[in-house]
Amino acid sequence: MKKGLIVIGVVLVVAAAWAAPVYKYAGMWGARGTGNGQFLSVFRIAVAPDGTVYVTDSRASRVQYFTSTGSYLGQWPVPNASGVDVSPSGVVYVANQGQVRYFTLTGSFLGSWSNQSSPLDVAVAPNGTVYTVDAFTHHRVEYFTSTGSFLGSWGSIGFGPGEFLWPAGIAVLANGTVYVAENGNDRVQYFTPTGSLVGMWGKSGEGPGEFDEPNGIDISNSGIVFVANTYNHCVDYFTSTGSFLGWFGGVGEGPGQFVLNHGVAVSPSDTRVYVTDFLNARVQYFDESGSAVVPQSLGKVKALFR
């Protein structure tokens, strides 16, 4: 059993501390099915600059989009849709079956490109560069112009710095720094826009800042990095250099709980975080409710149950 059940913590507080945002459950939508606003395998999520929320449903082979509180707006078909992101100019990019397809905000097809990789997730930089993670074929990052002209790639399968094992999620900071969540290595690595390694954090486990097969990742405008910690059934969040700030969620079917949360996205205002709750077939959202003093160093946290 994972985070969010019964946790006994011993906290070692040092002198230095800072205020980190706290996120509390604010609402949800969705149910299992193929109707409007329902999901078969709710996967990844993105928020447009105007606050519209886009959600991929891979088994239903479609993208649905909603208001900021979950009112259904529309959908369009994309076979085996996986990753999704929206550019600053309002173009929706969707990764699927060895392709990246791109659309208007209401789903009108604009174009696509194919390559030899298997893109699982997609992220658009502020300058329009499109990044994808190839989780299964080459275990690398690839990047393209906004219309799909190949620019470069980095990474290969492995456990060392700059190498990847099932890179599952990708996001880009406002300054162009690229963050990759590694499902197989239980860590986050971050790079310059052209792939030079800047740093990394994380290891396998259930404690603060530890991962069990992370997937989706997103970054707020203020630089807070949110990671869907899938098999820990929670979302962890960090500074842009990997200092642990907090987490929310926990395994279960109730409000604010998850069973295998795969995707995470931050609203343009930075005050709301959306999470795709895979086995519960729903989207939940959490609002910033203030700040908490977080110690610079956390001691051992022991879970009573796993």
Side-chain angles (χ1 to χ4, degrees):
M1 195 168 291
K2 304 293 186 179
K3 295 176 183 174
L5 292 183
I6 300 176
V7 176
I8 297 174
V10 178
V11 180
L12 304 179
V13 181
V14 297
W18 68 92
V22 175
Y23 297 90
K24 293 187 176 181
Y25 168 80
M28 71 171 77
W29 71 86
R32 192 167 305 281
T34 58
N36 295 344
Q38 297 180 329
F39 306 104
L40 288 180
S41 54
V42 57
F43 196 61
R44 296 298 171 86
I45 191 165
V47 187
D50 67 357
T52 303
V53 180
Y54 294 81
V55 184
T56 60
D57 187 344
S58 56
R59 284 182 58 202
S61 292
R62 64 181 178 177
V63 175
Q64 297 186 77
Y65 57 108
F66 304 86
T67 68
S68 61
T69 54
S71 296
Y72 174 81
L73 294 174
Q75 64 179 285
W76 68 87
V78 180
N80 296 311
S82 56
V84 61
D85 200 15
V86 185
S87 74
S89 62
V91 176
V92 182
Y93 290 84
V94 184
N96 78 304
Q97 289 185 326
Q99 286 189 321
V100 175
R101 304 185 186 196
Y102 53 108
F103 305 85
T104 68
L105 291 171
T106 55
S108 296
F109 180 75
L110 296 174
S112 67
W113 67 87
S114 303
N115 50 52
Q116 297 179 346
S117 297
S118 304
L120 183 63
D121 200 12
V122 60
V124 188
N127 67 358
T129 301
V130 180
Y131 293 84
T132 65
V133 280
D134 175 7
F136 305 111
T137 305
H138 298 107
H139 301 265
R140 68 186 182 189
V141 173
E142 298 180 341
Y143 57 110
F144 307 84
T145 67
S146 61
T147 55
S149 296
F150 181 76
L151 295 174
S153 66
W154 71 84
S156 61
I157 189 169
F159 310 101
E163 298 177 328
F164 301 113
L165 184 61
W166 302 318
I170 191 164
V172 185
L173 188 61
N175 66 4
T177 303
V178 180
Y179 289 74
V180 180
E182 283 188 79
N183 185 281
N185 283 327
D186 286 329
R187 67 185 179 187
V188 172
Q189 297 191 76
Y190 56 110
F191 304 85
T192 67
T194 54
S196 296
L197 180 67
V198 178
M200 68 176 73
W201 74 85
K203 63 178 182 178
S204 301
E206 301 173 36
E210 297 174 347
F211 300 118
D212 192 349
E213 299 188 25
N215 278 283
I217 186 171
D218 200 16
I219 309 170
S220 71
N221 294 318
S222 60
I224 297 177
V225 181
F226 295 83
V227 182
N229 199 345
T230 302
Y231 279 85
N232 279 332
H233 311 285
C234 67
V235 172
D236 290 4
Y237 52 106
F238 307 84
T239 67
S240 61
T241 55
S243 296
F244 177 76
L245 295 176
W247 64 274
F248 55 88
V251 64
E253 300 177 357
Q257 297 179 320
F258 310 122
V259 182
L260 302 183
N261 50 307
H262 272 275
V264 61
V266 188
S267 70
S269 68
D270 277 7
T271 59
R272 175 167 290 175
V273 180
Y274 295 88
V275 184
T276 55
D277 189 1
F278 184 77
L279 285 189
N280 287 324
R282 64 190 180 186
V283 172
Q284 297 192 68
Y285 56 99
F286 299 76
D287 284 347
E288 183 178 333
S289 59
S291 60
V293 175
V294 178
Q296 187 178 29
S297 175
L298 295 177
K300 293 176 64 178
V301 176
K302 179 180 178 182
L304 186 61
F305 299 107
R306 176 176 173 84

